[in-house]
Amino acid sequence: MQWYFVASLLTILTSSQGILTTLSQSNGGYKYDYATVPFLAEVFKLLVSSFLLWRECKNSPPPRMTTEWKSIMGNLKIVTTGIFFRLFLRRKLSNLQWMAIVLLAIGTTTSQVRGCGEASCDSLFSAPIQGYMLGVLSACLSALAGVYTEFLMKKNNDSLYWQNVQLYTFGAIFNMARLLLDDYRGGFEKGPWWQRIFNGYSVTTWMVVLNLGSTGLLVSWLMKYADNIVKVYSTSMAMLLTMVLSVFLFTFKPTLQLFLGIVICMMSLHMYFAPPTMLVDLPVTVKSAPESHIEVSVDRRTNS
């Protein structure tokens, strides 16, 4: 399976996640407990990974057990991912690729900036300094987690499905703990979570769960066989695709910033993945014809 097919599918599923979540609402709210969605998504990923691991083991030996400014600050993880990618995984990026990563961050940020006619121009930078510091910290932690996950998945030859089973087992446990904590805080007024886990679920809600679970499986595949940069590009393009689809599905109005952001991101995509010969006109070296050598025989006679 080619990585660009998986990346394209991840872009589509990530884009549809926000749209499906919005469509699952009723009168601006959820009829179901949204905390159950990530839990069921983890269970779905665990079941799929367990099935694929079981099928793999049949044919091979078992594996060895071994608000606006907030969104803009979140785009820093695009650049910090590249930095941690270089520091921890020792992957060298060319100057063009670094420029492409910076352009991607600029493009996604541009698409999210509102015009001065919709809000005050000063409101973009009106958040307290603590907010910006937390935004930078969040971007660094997010990028570090992604790079470290890739390091763990590539450091040995364990099966991808076995690694997924380990990962999503912990995911299901922690999401279950979150549900128990919510019940404890609420004094168990609504009863235990397992008795009302499917309350209010509709077809759209199940699509949200399956979409979220499938997205996680695709991300793990990219972590194993591609890299974090491919995942960053996929999720960034998904955000732009979501904005475009929102124009037709909801009341979102396209802006000049959105158009410019899409153009910049497409330029970044081309700069990062295109071969250097397509980006730079290299001088054509003309081989000179080999010089013909004329042998001259010289008779040297000595007079006696």
Side-chain angles (χ1 to χ4, degrees):
M1 188 182 299
Q2 299 294 333
W3 67 263
Y4 46 81
F5 172 77
V6 177
S8 301
L9 188 57
L10 175 61
T11 300
I12 297 173
L13 292 182
T14 304
S15 175
S16 60
Q17 182 64 30
I19 296 175
L20 290 173
T21 303
T22 303
L23 293 176
S24 68
Q25 295 179 356
S26 178
N27 297 325
Y30 300 104
K31 289 185 177 180
Y32 57 93
D33 186 359
Y34 191 79
T36 60
V37 171
F39 169 71
L40 291 176
E42 293 296 321
V43 173
F44 169 75
K45 291 184 285 186
L46 178 59
L47 292 176
V48 172
S49 300
S50 300
F51 170 74
L52 294 176
L53 176 64
W54 170 78
R55 193 178 67 172
E56 183 182 63
C57 290
K58 290 177 61 178
N59 303 321
S60 61
R64 293 180 293 115
M65 303 294 286
T66 56
T67 49
E68 188 177 77
W69 70 267
K70 180 179 179 181
S71 299
I72 293 174
M73 295 297 291
N75 292 326
L76 284 176
K77 68 181 179 182
I78 297 174
V79 179
T80 53
T81 297
I83 295 175
F84 289 127
F85 191 75
R86 176 67 180 91
L87 292 177
F88 293 99
L89 298 182
R90 305 296 181 183
R91 304 285 181 83
K92 186 176 181 180
L93 301 177
S94 65
N95 293 334
L96 281 175
Q97 289 177 323
W98 278 113
M99 292 172 61
I101 291 175
V102 174
L103 274 180
L104 180 63
I106 294 175
T108 52
T109 301
T110 301
S111 65
Q112 295 173 344
V113 174
R114 296 181 180 179
C116 294
E118 301 179 22
S120 174
C121 296
D122 298 332
S123 64
L124 182 61
F125 303 101
S126 61
I129 187 63
Q130 295 88 345
Y132 294 106
M133 293 175 62
L134 291 175
V136 174
L137 179 61
S138 175
C140 292
L141 291 178
S142 176
L144 181 60
V147 172
Y148 186 66
T149 301
E150 179 183 347
F151 168 75
L152 290 178
M153 299 193 74
K154 290 182 176 178
K155 74 173 185 177
N156 52 45
N157 295 323
D158 285 350
S159 167
L160 170 65
Y161 309 127
W162 168 239
Q163 291 176 326
N164 281 346
V165 167
Q166 300 176 75
L167 178 64
Y168 300 137
T169 297
F170 282 101
I173 291 174
F174 281 105
N175 277 277
M176 186 187 303
R178 156 61 187 294
L179 292 172
L180 289 172
L181 182 61
D182 289 344
D183 286 344
Y184 176 77
R185 289 176 176 176
F188 294 91
E189 293 180 357
K190 300 179 181 179
W193 62 270
W194 57 85
Q195 292 182 359
R196 50 182 172 80
I197 185 172
F198 301 125
N199 289 352
Y201 267 57
S202 62
V203 175
T204 307
T205 309
W206 280 111
M207 291 178 64
V208 172
V209 173
L210 296 178
N211 190 86
L212 183 60
S214 302
T215 300
L217 293 172
L218 292 177
V219 168
S220 65
W221 193 96
L222 287 179
M223 290 290 191
K224 182 73 171 180
Y225 299 112
D227 54 53
N228 258 280
I229 303 298
V230 175
K231 189 207 74 170
V232 166
Y233 268 95
S234 297
T235 53
S236 298
M237 294 302 169
M239 180 187 62
L240 298 177
L241 179 59
T242 301
M243 292 183 178
V244 174
L245 294 177
S246 298
V247 174
F248 302 98
L249 298 176
F250 307 110
T251 58
F252 181 77
K253 295 182 180 179
T255 61
L256 177 62
Q257 291 87 340
L258 174 60
F259 174 76
L260 293 176
I262 293 175
V263 173
I264 295 174
C265 288
M266 295 306 296
M267 293 173 58
S268 169
L269 183 67
H270 180 68
M271 286 179 60
Y272 189 90
F273 292 103
T277 53
M278 293 181 60
L279 302 173
V280 181
D281 292 332
L282 299 177
V284 180
T285 57
V286 180
K287 294 183 179 180
S288 58
E291 297 180 357
S292 59
H293 298 280
I294 302 176
E295 295 182 359
V296 180
S297 58
V298 179
D299 293 335
R300 292 183 180 182
R301 297 180 180 180
T302 56
N303 297 325
S304 57

